[in-house]
Amino acid sequence: ELHYGMGFYVHDTGLMAILMGYDAGVSFMTWYLPDDDTTISVLANTSEGAWEVAGAIAKETEAALAG
């Protein structure tokens, strides 16, 4: 489960922070995993372009956090 505040989503385990957004002609999603000091970003030059790839990454990241 994700919790929202100050523009970020934080996974309920506290092991991942997410920032996402879009505007006309651009979309992005970024994950930060502090335990691994890892940042993953998906950027697209269309308003809807990042979501398919971001969805696949989110699914894999969630599964990894679940153990």
Side-chain angles (χ1 to χ4, degrees):
E1 185 174 338
L2 297 175
H3 305 278
Y4 180 79
M6 301 293 292
F8 287 88
Y9 292 89
V10 177
H11 192 268
D12 62 354
T13 63
L15 300 176
M16 176 174 57
I18 302 167
L19 179 64
M20 66 178 126
Y22 72 98
D23 205 343
V26 64
S27 55
F28 75 95
M29 190 164 184
T30 297
W31 297 261
Y32 176 62
L33 295 97
D35 285 356
D36 299 323
D37 195 27
T38 299
T39 302
I40 304 166
S41 294
V42 176
L43 310 169
N45 62 351
T46 65
S47 298
E48 300 296 324
W51 308 134
E52 184 176 345
V53 174
I57 292 171
K59 188 179 206 180
E60 293 295 322
T61 303
E62 184 70 31
L65 289 177

